[in-house]
Amino acid sequence: MRTNKICFIQAKDSDFDYLVALRKATMVLHLENAGLFLTEAEHKARVLYEYSSSHLIYVNEKCVGLAKFKQREHDYYLFQLQIEPQQQGKGARCASH
């Protein structure tokens, strides 16, 4: 069975535009189905929320999304996960170490 190399890279300021586009690609349909129509400024504000906890997800050196998480004393707290629509449903498997 093929395994994937998965890594998380902390987002930089230069990733902001990508993260706004990712948010819109993954969230707009769901938000609008719930009757919520956000402005560009509101999307940007959500991306900026806890920006220091934003990590780009790479699978086999290809960026596939975002994970916002914080390291705590004994674990990690994951509070947001957004995967590129074209990458959703593919599953991911990584080698155990």
Side-chain angles (χ1 to χ4, degrees):
M1 181 177 290
R2 181 174 173 223
T3 59
N4 294 303
K5 180 182 176 194
I6 300 172
C7 64
F8 300 89
I9 306 294
Q10 185 150 21
K12 301 178 289 251
D13 291 343
S14 59
D15 298 315
F16 180 76
D17 289 341
Y18 166 75
L19 293 175
V20 171
L22 175 65
R23 176 180 169 76
K24 290 162 65 175
T26 59
M27 296 296 296
V28 167
L29 180 63
H30 302 291
L31 292 167
E32 289 180 355
N33 284 341
L36 301 169
F37 298 87
L38 277 59
T39 65
E40 184 75 9
E42 289 171 316
H43 283 293
K44 288 179 177 181
R46 293 303 301 156
V47 169
L48 287 172
Y49 175 75
E50 295 281 353
Y51 196 82
S52 64
S53 299
S54 298
H55 296 78
L56 300 177
I57 305 167
Y58 283 84
V59 176
N60 299 328
E61 300 181 14
K62 176 181 170 65
C63 185
V64 299
L66 160 82
K68 281 190 181 180
F69 61 83
K70 291 183 179 186
Q71 185 173 4
R72 300 188 298 195
E73 185 176 352
H74 299 290
D75 61 9
Y76 289 87
Y77 173 64
L78 173 68
F79 56 95
Q80 185 175 357
L81 181 65
Q82 292 177 324
I83 304 298
E84 292 273 2
Q86 65 273 24
Q87 298 298 321
Q88 294 178 13
K90 292 184 175 184
R93 176 177 161 74
C94 62
S96 299
H97 297 289

